[in-house]
Amino acid sequence: MKNVDKYARGYFMPPVKSLKWTEKEYITEAPTWCSVDLRDGNQALIVPMSLEEKLEYFQLLLEVGFKEIEVGFPAASETEYAFLRTLIEQDLIPEDVTVQVLTQSRDHIIEKTFEALRGANKAVVHLYNSTSVAQREQVFKKSEEEIIEIAVSGAKLLQKYAAETEGNFQFQYSPESFTGTEVEFALEVCNRVLDVWQPTAENKVIINLPATVSMSMPHVYASQIEYMSEHLNYRDHVILSLHPHNDRGTGVADAELGMLAGAQRVEGTLFGNGERTGNVDIVTLAINMFSHGVDPKLHFENIREIISKYEKLTRMTVHQRHPYAGELVFTAFSGSHQDAIAKGMKWREEEDRQHWSVPYLLIDPKDIGREYEGDIIRINSQSGKGGIGYILEQHYGLDLPAKMRESFGYSVKNVSDRQHKELLPNEIYEIFMKEYVNIKSPVEFISYRSTQNENYETSVRIRMNNEEHEFISTGNGKLDAISNVLQTQLDITFKDLVYKEHALEIGSKSNAVSYVGFTGMDGAVYWGSGIDPDIMTSSVKALFSAVNNMITSANLPIEKALSITKN
C-alpha cells in the first residue's frame, strides 16, 4: 500500500516489562460486567433510541443479568436526563443493580449530573478527561500539569456534589485515550485522583482504562494494564476496569488479555455496538468464558430473543457470522464438516459423555437456544453425504446405508447446483421420495404370496405397460425368491445385493422403511427404497424401486420383459 511511511506507532509500552499475565492459561472467574449500550452504544446509532425504547432496552439488559448499567450522559440531552429521572422516580432500578452516568470534568456538567441522580439508590458517577499526547497537543493545547488539574478538580467536584445530593454514589475515573497516553503519565493522573478520593475497603473507587482508540496489538494493552495494576495507589481498594474499543478488530482479545493482566471489570455492549468499529462485544466475551467451563454470570440461553429485541430497538443487524449469535455460525455447508459433525453428534449420543467435544462446534448450540435441526447442517451444492443423510435422519427418521447416502448426496447436490440455492429439509425429503421410494415404473409391484417348504416358493404380481402378470419362483428367503423372479422371468440382471430395514419412527410409527442396493448390468450401483406398514412389503418395494431406477438410468431395453406383455 502507498503512504506507509505516514504511520508510526502511537502507543507507549510501560517503562518496565509487565508479562506476568502470560503465565495464566485462561480467565477463571467472571468480571463485573458494565453495559454501556445505553450511553456509548446509543450515541453511535444513526437514530438514537427514544425514551420508551431506552426503557425497553434497560429491561433487556436486566434480563441478561447486568448488575451495572451505564444509562447515559444526563447533562448532554433532555432525553438522557429524562430517562434517568424516569428510572429513579418510577422505581425501575432493582435493588441489586447500579446505574452509571458519565460526566466531563466541568463544574456545570457535574452539577447537572448530580441533579439528575437525586434519590438514586446506587449510582456510579464516571468522571473522565482526555490525557493522550494527541489530545493534549492538538485539542486542549495544555501541559501535563494542566491536564492533571482538570482531573483533580473534577474529582473534588464529585465529592462536593455527592455530599450535597440525596443518594448513594460511587466514583469512577477514566483517563480517556489511555492507549495514546504515556503509561507513567496515565499512572500519575490516576494516582492524583485517587489521592483526592482516598478509597477504602468500604468505599472502593473504579479506575477505568479505556482503549478509546485501539492502537496496539493486544499484548501491549495487557502489559499496560498490568503495569497500572501493580503501581496504582490504594490498589486493594481500587476496582480496575477496562473499556476496549474495536478499531483494530481486537476488542475481545484486548479485554481477555487485560483481565489476565489484573482487570476486574469490563465495560462493553451487546454484539459490540459503539462508536466507529464498536465497543468490545460482551456476548462474545461471556460465551468465550462459558466455552472454557467458567460461568460468565450473564444469561444468553435464548440468544435469538435477545437478538430480536436488540435489532428492533437499535435498528441494527447482527451479522450472520457474528461469533455465537450469528445465524450461520453453527452451520456447516461443507461436506467434510457436515460428516464430522454428524458423526460427532452420534458418538456423543452413544457414549453419553459429560463434556462437549463435537468437531467444529465450540459449544453446544442448545445451550444458547439454538436448535440442531436447521442450525447446524444446511444443504447446498457444497454439502456432502454425511450432512444430507443427517438431515433425513433428524427430520424424517430415515437412516440410509452409507453407500446410499453417497448416491443420494449427488442427487441433492445436483439439484442445489442447478437451482443455485440452499435446499430446505422438506425439499431434500421430496427429492428422496421422488427418486428412490416406491418407484412404480416401468415395472410396478402389486403383491406377493409365499409358502415355505425347503425353500420359499413365491408368486409375484406385477404390472407393465398397463397389463398385470403373475410369476412364480423360489429362493432361500422371500426377498431372494422375488429377486429370482426379476432375474429369471424378466431377464433383469444384477448382483451384490445390499439390504437394510428399520421402523420409521418419525412421522408414522406404523410404517417400516427398507433400502436395497445392487450392482446392475452396466456395473453401476443402483438404489431404491420402500415404505409400507409391512416390513417385508417395504423390502420388496425397495427392490422394485432399485430395479426401476436401473432400467431408467441405464436406458435398458429389457426386451424379454417387454415381450411378455405382447403375448
Side-chain angles (χ1 to χ4, degrees), residues 347-357:
W347 179 87
R348 180 172 173 77
E349 289 178 8
E350 294 171 349
E351 297 290 329
D352 192 27
R353 293 299 180 97
Q354 176 185 355
H355 294 110
W356 181 260
S357 62

Side-chain angles (χ1 to χ4, degrees), residues 299-312:
H299 304 291
F300 296 113
E301 292 89 348
N302 192 353
I303 197 69
R304 282 199 163 123
E305 183 177 331
I306 294 170
I307 291 171
S308 177
K309 291 180 180 179
Y310 168 85
E311 291 186 335
K312 181 188 77 169

